[in-house]
């Protein structure tokens, strides 16, 4: 525990929790205003390619994503610090919050011509992909050098299957409630 306190940097923690500000801020807006941030596949805008990932259908959707983010990002950061990969975490974190949202929206536009998309889940899966890698790296550094990145792929795949199985549309994606 003392090693964790010695190696964790306060600024890193602040940066890690900054995304909660726009997530909460957008969720607290009236439904009509939040709707303007949602990516409509039939009429996309440059702004909504990014902002749609910070909009949630309802509070259940919101808290599921925020809780998962806090858990995954925190553990991935700690594992990164403890396996001497802090800089990797910061690079992945920056790319995950800047490039991944636009890339996911672009891919969605290529595969859909109607409907809307919203939520932080795609960003969470990108962080979970990194989490899988850093968990295996941490275990290899601390316990067993026989672990390889192939094991991270298996862990990520398992997480992806669990996420897909527990994700089911419960409301019309075009409406808020």
């Amino acid at each position: 525990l003392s090693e964790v306190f010695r190696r964790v940097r306060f600024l890193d923690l602040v940066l890690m929790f900054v995304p909660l500000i726009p997530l909460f801020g957008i969720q607290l807006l009236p439904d009509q205003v939040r709707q303007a941030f949602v990516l409509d596949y039939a009429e996309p805008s440059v702004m909504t390619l990014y902002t749609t990932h910070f909009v949630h259908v309802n509070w259940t959707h919101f808290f599921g994503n925020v809780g998962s983010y806090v858990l995954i990002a925190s553990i991935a950061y700690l594992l990164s610090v403890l396996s001497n990969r802090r800089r990797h975490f910061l690079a992945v974190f920056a790319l995950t919050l800047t490039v991944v949202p636009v890339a996911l929206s672009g891919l969605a536009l290529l595969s859909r011509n109607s409907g809307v998309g919203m939520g932080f889940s795609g960003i969470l899966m990108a962080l979970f992909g990194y989490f899988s890698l850093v968990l295996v790296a941490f275990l290899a550094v601390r316990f067993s050098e026989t672990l390889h990145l192939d094991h991270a792929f298996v862990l990520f795949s398992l997480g992806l299957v669990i996420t897909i199985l527990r994700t089911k549309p419960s409301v019309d994606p075009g409406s808020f409630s």
Side-chain angles (χ1 to χ4, degrees):
L1 195 57
S2 64
E3 180 183 3
V4 171
F5 284 119
R6 185 174 44 80
R7 297 176 75 182
V8 167
R9 295 188 182 162
F10 179 73
L11 182 58
D12 293 348
L13 298 177
V14 169
L15 288 173
M16 194 168 47
F17 290 103
V18 162
L20 296 177
I21 295 169
L23 282 165
F24 272 97
I26 290 173
Q27 189 63 25
L28 291 170
L29 294 171
D31 290 349
Q32 273 184 293
V33 178
R34 284 190 304 135
Q35 192 78 35
F37 292 101
V38 175
L39 175 61
D40 181 342
Y41 298 124
E43 296 180 36
S45 74
V46 173
M47 179 188 79
T48 60
L49 289 173
Y50 185 80
T51 60
T52 197
H53 299 280
F54 292 84
V55 182
H56 294 83
V57 175
N58 54 38
W59 285 101
T60 302
H61 182 212
F62 173 81
F63 282 119
N65 273 226
V66 166
S68 298
Y69 170 77
V70 169
L71 183 67
I72 291 169
S74 298
I75 295 172
Y77 174 74
L78 288 174
L79 292 173
S80 296
V81 166
L82 294 173
S83 61
N84 300 318
R85 288 177 169 76
R86 178 184 164 274
R87 291 177 67 198
H88 293 155
F89 175 84
L90 294 174
V92 168
F93 181 75
L95 289 171
T96 299
L97 289 174
T98 57
V99 176
V100 168
V102 176
L104 290 173
S105 293
L107 290 171
L109 285 174
L110 291 175
S111 65
R112 298 180 177 101
N113 57 10
S114 65
V116 297
M118 67 184 91
F120 212 66
S121 300
I123 294 169
L124 288 174
M125 286 311 299
L127 283 174
F128 187 76
Y130 175 73
F131 166 81
S132 303
L133 291 171
V134 78
L135 176 61
V136 170
F138 170 78
L139 293 172
V141 166
R142 298 292 176 145
F143 302 108
S144 171
E145 293 181 15
T146 61
L147 290 172
H148 300 285
L149 291 182
D150 295 346
H151 298 106
F153 178 75
V154 172
L155 179 62
F156 175 75
S157 299
L158 179 63
L160 183 60
V161 168
I162 290 168
T163 301
I164 290 169
L165 291 176
R166 67 173 268 262
T167 303
K168 57 181 186 267
S170 58
V171 296
D172 174 17
S175 66
F176 293 106
S177 62

